[in-house]
Amino acid sequence: MTNSDYLLKAAIKKVTEKLNEILVEKIEEAAHIAQDAPEILKKEFDSLKESIIEEASRLEKAENIEENESTNTYQDPKIKKALNEIEGINKQIDLFNKTINNQIK
């Protein structure tokens, strides 16, 4: 064998050893990640669940405030009377529109 043959064999051997070393290292990393994955997913799911509960609570409070404001507004007799009058006018407009549409047909 010539010197270049020895160099080629040595290079192949060392490259193979290095690739095997890297491959084993990466497999160990993947195994470690796979072991931690359920815990990571559980933490993320718990965080998401907590965020959803907080948002639902915030929305519920906002809706309750809105309902209280609208309830308080409608308790004022003047506003109730005005709303009733508006509703009556809307009914008259609907009736007028139906009459007009029937005459056009």
Side-chain angles (χ1 to χ4, degrees), residues 37 42 56 59 69:
K42 184 182 181 313
L59 290 172
E69 288 175 354

Side-chain angles (χ1 to χ4, degrees), residues 40-103:
I40 293 169
L41 290 174
K42 184 182 181 313
K43 285 180 183 177
E44 288 298 320
F45 179 74
D46 288 344
S47 175
L48 176 63
K49 184 171 68 171
E50 195 174 299
S51 296
I52 290 170
I53 290 170
E54 287 174 5
E55 182 65 11
S57 176
R58 187 191 67 75
L59 290 172
E60 183 180 16
K61 287 178 185 175
E63 186 175 325
N64 287 340
I65 290 171
E66 188 176 296
E67 285 176 1
N68 287 340
E69 288 175 354
S70 65
T71 302
N72 292 339
T73 303
Y74 296 141
Q75 288 175 353
D76 185 349
K78 290 180 182 178
I79 293 177
K80 280 184 180 179
K81 183 179 178 187
L83 288 173
N84 287 337
E85 288 177 8
I86 290 171
E87 188 177 332
I89 292 170
N90 282 335
K91 287 179 181 177
Q92 289 176 354
I93 290 172
D94 287 341
L95 183 62
F96 178 74
N97 283 334
K98 287 178 185 176
T99 305
I100 296 295
N101 286 337
N102 287 338
Q103 289 177 359

